[in-house]
Amino acid sequence: MKVLVPVKRVVDYNVKVRVKSDGSGVDIANVKMSMNPFDEIAIEEAVRLREKGAVTEVIAVSCGVTQCSETLRTAMAIGADRAILIETSEELQPLAVAKLLKALMDKEQPGLVILGKQAIDDDCNQTGQMLAALSDRPQATFASKVEVADGKVQVTREVDGGSETLSLTLPAIITTDLRLNEPRYVTLPNIMKAKKKQLDTFTPADLGVDISPRIKTLKVVEPAARSAGIKVADVAALVEKLRNEAKVI
């Protein structure tokens, strides 16, 4: 069984992002980029399933600019068998990515798609759900445990009241949560091996997908700076400030 794992190239989580002076977006020039942490968890889980014998091949896929190939090499260093880059310089919104992945699923016919629940740059948390709807496959989101056996996948997922376990008939789509696993450290020998692994490149036109944006960003601004806290003498003073300054009561 094949497992398809989409991975996204994002600004590294340790980097403090800066908004462009014209407010058109986030400045990523000369900024360290890395794999989206949730997608790293997805790759790790797919590799673990292969090591258990439940999966035969792990395919990493990324959509975006040429530099996304570096992210795919990292995925192959973690353990993916091969990779596919859908190359485009156009802005990609969740629906466009879901359509590209659907076209790729039709081509590769994976038994399972595992992807991060959200990307840390836009926090949309939409691609997995849209992909499940487009492909008409069962889905389980926010997975904290995954087990594959007898043509089904058991997924334990976190909900407001605790956790629940779902049984999905394969093929299926899963989005990962932070507690699913801890990704392994990428070693230098595996990085060198990843350079020799297969990496295929397609364009949206090759897959027959329209990636025109449906949403327009009007302006991007930094959040307002937080003011320093103060101490109040008594409850009456606290209530007065909450009512007149903070205006929360």
Side-chain angles (χ1 to χ4, degrees), residues 141-142 157-165 177:
T141 55
F142 315 128
R157 62 187 298 270
E158 299 183 3
V159 294
D160 291 341
S163 64
E164 68 177 5
T165 301
D177 211 339

Side-chain angles (χ1 to χ4, degrees), residues 3-36:
V3 176
L4 193 69
V5 186
V7 296
K8 186 176 184 181
R9 178 177 180 262
V10 298
V11 176
D12 190 87
Y13 67 92
N14 286 313
V15 173
K16 181 175 175 18
V17 296
R18 301 184 305 274
V19 175
K20 292 180 180 177
S21 58
D22 61 0
S24 61
V26 173
D27 186 6
I28 60 172
N30 301 315
V31 170
K32 181 183 178 183
M33 307 292 283
S34 62
M35 186 188 302
N36 178 47

Side-chain angles (χ1 to χ4, degrees), residues 16-74:
K16 181 175 175 18
V17 296
R18 301 184 305 274
V19 175
K20 292 180 180 177
S21 58
D22 61 0
S24 61
V26 173
D27 186 6
I28 60 172
N30 301 315
V31 170
K32 181 183 178 183
M33 307 292 283
S34 62
M35 186 188 302
N36 178 47
F38 290 102
D39 297 340
E40 197 171 354
I41 291 169
I43 279 284
E44 173 66 26
E45 191 62 25
V47 172
R48 291 187 185 189
L49 289 173
R50 190 193 61 206
E51 291 171 347
K52 291 177 183 176
V55 167
T56 56
E57 186 180 28
V58 177
I59 308 167
V61 56
S62 190
C63 309
V65 295
T66 306
Q67 291 86 338
C68 290
S69 60
E70 300 167 9
T71 306
L72 291 171
R73 292 293 178 192
T74 301

Side-chain angles (χ1 to χ4, degrees), residues 2-247:
K2 295 180 184 178
V3 176
L4 193 69
V5 186
V7 296
K8 186 176 184 181
R9 178 177 180 262
V10 298
V11 176
D12 190 87
Y13 67 92
N14 286 313
V15 173
K16 181 175 175 18
V17 296
R18 301 184 305 274
V19 175
K20 292 180 180 177
S21 58
D22 61 0
S24 61
V26 173
D27 186 6
I28 60 172
N30 301 315
V31 170
K32 181 183 178 183
M33 307 292 283
S34 62
M35 186 188 302
N36 178 47
F38 290 102
D39 297 340
E40 197 171 354
I41 291 169
I43 279 284
E44 173 66 26
E45 191 62 25
V47 172
R48 291 187 185 189
L49 289 173
R50 190 193 61 206
E51 291 171 347
K52 291 177 183 176
V55 167
T56 56
E57 186 180 28
V58 177
I59 308 167
V61 56
S62 190
C63 309
V65 295
T66 306
Q67 291 86 338
C68 290
S69 60
E70 300 167 9
T71 306
L72 291 171
R73 292 293 178 192
T74 301
M76 288 190 285
I78 293 174
D81 298 293
R82 59 187 174 94
I84 298 171
L85 171 62
I86 303 175
E87 188 175 354
T88 176
S89 58
E90 301 294 322
E91 177 193 0
L92 289 175
Q93 295 176 351
L95 180 59
V97 175
K99 288 180 177 179
L100 290 170
L101 294 176
K102 166 63 168 59
L104 201 58
M105 285 171 59
D106 293 341
K107 181 180 177 64
E108 292 288 342
Q109 293 296 314
L112 194 60
V113 180
I114 307 178
L115 62 166
K117 69 172 185 177
Q118 64 195 76
I120 62 171
D121 52 0
D122 56 19
D123 272 339
C124 282
N125 185 11
Q126 294 176 340
T127 304
Q129 293 88 327
M130 288 177 171
L131 179 59
L134 290 172
S135 60
D136 194 25
R137 293 191 178 187
Q139 65 170 317
T141 55
F142 315 128
S144 57
K145 186 178 180 181
V146 176
E147 294 179 339
V148 177
D150 302 324
K152 291 184 178 293
V153 56
Q154 294 254 349
V155 180
T156 301
R157 62 187 298 270
E158 299 183 3
V159 294
D160 291 341
S163 64
E164 68 177 5
T165 301
L166 303 177
S167 178
L168 309 179
T169 302
L170 295 173
I173 293 170
I174 297 172
T175 68
T176 64
D177 211 339
L178 282 173
R179 293 165 191 80
L180 180 57
N181 62 52
E182 184 175 341
R184 67 194 67 191
Y185 179 75
V186 180
T187 62
L188 182 58
N190 286 338
I191 292 174
M192 300 306 293
K193 289 177 184 176
K195 293 181 178 180
K196 298 179 181 179
K197 290 184 178 180
Q198 179 181 347
L199 196 163
D200 299 317
T201 302
F202 298 98
T203 65
D206 294 334
L207 299 173
V209 176
D210 176 17
I211 59 171
S212 302
R214 304 297 184 90
I215 302 170
K216 182 179 180 181
T217 302
L218 299 179
K219 191 176 182 182
V220 178
V221 296
E222 292 189 12
R226 294 183 61 179
S227 57
I230 61 171
K231 291 182 179 180
V232 294
D234 50 36
V235 174
L238 174 61
V239 171
E240 189 273 331
K241 288 191 174 293
L242 289 175
R243 177 176 291 124
N244 299 321
E245 293 185 17
K247 299 188 185 300

